[in-house]
Amino acid sequence: MLRWGCFGLLVLSFGVLAEPVAPVIKIANLRLPDSSQTWADQRDRIAQLLEALHPDVIIVQDVRQRGSANPACWLGARLNYSCDFISADRPSQPERRGNAVLTRLTAQQDGVTLLHGDEAPTAAGMQRLQLQQALLNIYAASMCPTDNTAVSRGHQAADLRSWMDATAEGLPSLIIGDFAAPTEELVRQLPGYQPARRNPSNQNGDARPAAGAGHGMDVLYQVRSFADITQQPIQLTASEAQAEPEVLGMMATLRITRIPEATAVEQP
């Protein structure tokens, strides 16, 4: 009986160890220096900073590709991440503007659509990524229309919702972007999603932006699919050439709490 009991405890211990742990994803959302000279001076420090933070996905806002020179893709190559440049501009243009998605995860699927906020539509991208036993959708969708009216912002949000309805396939989803809408408007436009950086349910007074201000760069997470949300600034420390720390963006760390059965990867 003693031996059987010890064996039973041993089996139970292995059973507990075999339980899957909810995967955690780290998303960096940032903007690189716009000046060519500043970028050349700081790019090595930026690469070292992101290497230390080790995000799974990096979204780079407002990238300017001049000819074949793309600073976001340079950063991706330096970090050994894939780089997907998303732009509404024609490939023949000497300068193209858009966003870039860098990731060290495996992409199962991707896509691009246009958000028609005003006379100058912007491109939004999607990647379906494999993270351990989970699949999730990453939408890179900055919504800052040129005229920046509530009507234009609403049109972009409606375009994004329609596209997500057609492509999400019930998987956990995140929206990473730069948002011109005030926080409360943004939350109304995208029901079911909350911002990691400025959560309107936060009771701290300084968590809310000034009245009428745009929400800014953030990671919006699907409430029913993610938990344990934390965020931190991404900033370069002060140096001899730079007296004050420079904030480049923010990074959100999220735990996936909902893994649909259809997406589970069979374990060996």
Side-chain angles (χ1 to χ4, degrees):
M1 293 293 293
L2 180 59
R3 291 180 180 176
W4 184 91
C6 290
F7 179 74
L9 289 174
L10 184 61
V11 171
L12 178 61
S13 298
F14 276 113
V16 171
L17 290 174
E19 289 183 3
V21 177
V24 171
I25 189 166
K26 296 166 69 175
I27 308 284
N29 187 14
L30 55 89
R31 182 178 285 104
L32 300 176
D34 184 52
S35 163
S36 298
Q37 185 59 53
T38 304
W39 164 244
D41 292 342
Q42 294 185 346
R43 65 182 189 178
D44 289 331
R45 294 183 66 213
I46 293 172
Q48 291 168 6
L49 171 62
L50 289 166
E51 190 172 24
L53 292 173
H54 201 52
D56 298 292
V57 180
I58 303 170
I59 307 297
V60 186
Q61 304 292 337
D62 197 22
V63 178
R64 298 191 182 192
Q65 177 173 299
R66 298 175 175 94
S68 60
N70 186 306
C73 289
W74 178 94
L75 182 62
R78 175 71 175 266
L79 298 173
N80 199 27
Y81 285 38
S82 64
C83 177
D84 185 18
F85 179 53
I86 304 160
S87 176
D89 296 332
R90 296 186 303 276
S92 59
Q93 292 183 212
E95 178 175 305
R96 303 173 68 202
R97 298 184 69 168
N99 293 347
V101 181
L102 316 181
T103 182
R104 62 189 183 90
L105 302 178
T106 300
Q108 303 285 352
Q109 183 178 333
D110 60 21
V112 177
T113 193
L114 294 178
L115 306 181
H116 298 85
D118 52 22
E119 70 278 1
T122 60
M126 181 272 277
Q127 288 197 11
R128 181 162 298 160
L129 302 178
Q130 179 80 52
L131 178 65
Q132 299 178 28
Q133 75 271 29
L135 290 177
L136 71 157
N137 299 317
I138 300 291
Y139 291 91
S142 296
M143 296 189 291
C144 297
T146 304
D147 58 358
N148 196 22
T149 64
V151 172
S152 293
R153 296 193 298 265
H155 286 164
Q156 288 193 337
D159 283 350
L160 179 60
R161 287 197 310 270
S162 297
W163 190 48
M164 292 175 65
D165 288 344
T167 58
E169 297 185 2
L171 297 175
S173 298
L174 298 167
I175 307 169
I176 303 97
D178 188 7
F179 306 101
T183 302
E184 278 72 15
E185 178 186 314
L186 182 64
V187 172
R188 288 196 306 271
Q189 290 172 342
L190 299 167
Y193 287 82
Q194 288 286 343
R197 184 174 56 83
R198 290 175 175 169
N199 194 326
S201 65
N202 195 315
Q203 296 304 308
N204 296 327
D206 59 358
R208 293 172 179 263
H215 183 82
M217 290 194 296
D218 210 343
V219 175
L220 309 185
Y221 65 93
Q222 195 176 37
V223 175
R224 66 182 180 128
S225 301
F226 297 89
D228 301 332
I229 317 300
T230 61
Q231 63 88 24
Q232 67 186 86
I234 299 173
Q235 62 182 18
L236 289 173
T237 57
S239 65
E240 292 183 2
Q242 180 181 301
E244 299 293 333
E246 180 181 356
V247 177
L248 302 176
M250 54 84 68
M251 185 170 76
T253 302
L254 314 95
R255 187 176 301 278
I256 303 176
T257 58
R258 184 181 65 87
I259 303 177
E261 287 186 18
T263 72
V265 175
E266 199 174 63
Q267 299 296 321

